[in-house]
């Protein structure tokens, strides 16, 4: 059984992480990742992730159902609770995006890559 994490330790590979708002049940985080970095496969038990790209290009890989969403500056992607996803840069360079998370208690449920099954 996979154990949910309450911290953002999974973001340690990101080049920059800044929290702009954090209240019970809601938070806004800015994340900057470089080419070759990723936010690994995970889901959240209770919260919805809303991603908004500020700069660069991202690919959000999603399961249940499987899809890939390409995002550029000004694009958004909304993923409900329990939906496994990972985030990578699409092209060379950096990508900066905001993640609005709520409403509910934050957790990070690690997931395996679909290729590892």
């Amino acid at each position: 059984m996979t154990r949910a994490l309450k911290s953002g330790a999974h973001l340690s590979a990101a080049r920059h992480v800044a929290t702009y708002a954090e209240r019970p049940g809601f938070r806004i985080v800015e994340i900057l990742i470089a080419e070759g970095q990723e936010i690994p496969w995970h889901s959240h038990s209770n919260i919805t992730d809303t991603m908004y790209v500020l700069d660069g290009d991202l690919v959000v890989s999603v399961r249940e159902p499987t899809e890939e969403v390409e995002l550029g500056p000004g694009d958004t992607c909304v993923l409900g609770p329990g939906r496994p996803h990972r985030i990578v840069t699409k092209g060379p360079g950096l990508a900066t995006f905001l993640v609005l998370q709520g409403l509910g208690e934050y957790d990070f449920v690690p997931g395996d890559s679909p290729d590892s099954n």
Side-chain angles (χ1 to χ4, degrees), residues 48-88:
T48 296
D49 271 356
T50 301
M51 288 162 263
Y52 177 81
V53 179
L54 297 170
D55 189 42
D57 296 302
L58 297 175
V59 175
V60 181
S61 300
V62 186
R63 287 188 262 168
E64 300 174 18
T66 299
E67 66 179 304
E68 282 197 347
V69 180
E70 294 186 6
L71 304 172
D75 291 338
T76 61
C77 179
V78 179
L79 300 170
R83 189 139 189 230
H85 57 282
R86 96 178 165 132
I87 304 162
V88 299

Side-chain angles (χ1 to χ4, degrees), residues 8-103:
H10 61 283
L11 296 175
S12 62
R15 181 162 290 185
H16 171 78
V17 178
T19 301
Y20 290 111
E22 191 163 16
R23 305 279 186 268
F26 181 78
R27 70 188 203 155
I28 300 172
V29 178
E30 179 185 72
I31 301 170
L32 182 141
I33 57 177
E35 184 176 5
Q37 293 180 313
E38 69 173 24
I39 307 302
W41 282 103
H42 68 283
S43 62
H44 306 285
S45 300
N46 300 307
I47 62 169
T48 296
D49 271 356
T50 301
M51 288 162 263
Y52 177 81
V53 179
L54 297 170
D55 189 42
D57 296 302
L58 297 175
V59 175
V60 181
S61 300
V62 186
R63 287 188 262 168
E64 300 174 18
T66 299
E67 66 179 304
E68 282 197 347
V69 180
E70 294 186 6
L71 304 172
D75 291 338
T76 61
C77 179
V78 179
L79 300 170
R83 189 139 189 230
H85 57 282
R86 96 178 165 132
I87 304 162
V88 299
T89 56
K90 181 180 175 194
L94 306 173
T96 305
F97 58 104
L98 297 176
V99 182
L100 289 74
Q101 297 174 314
L103 295 170

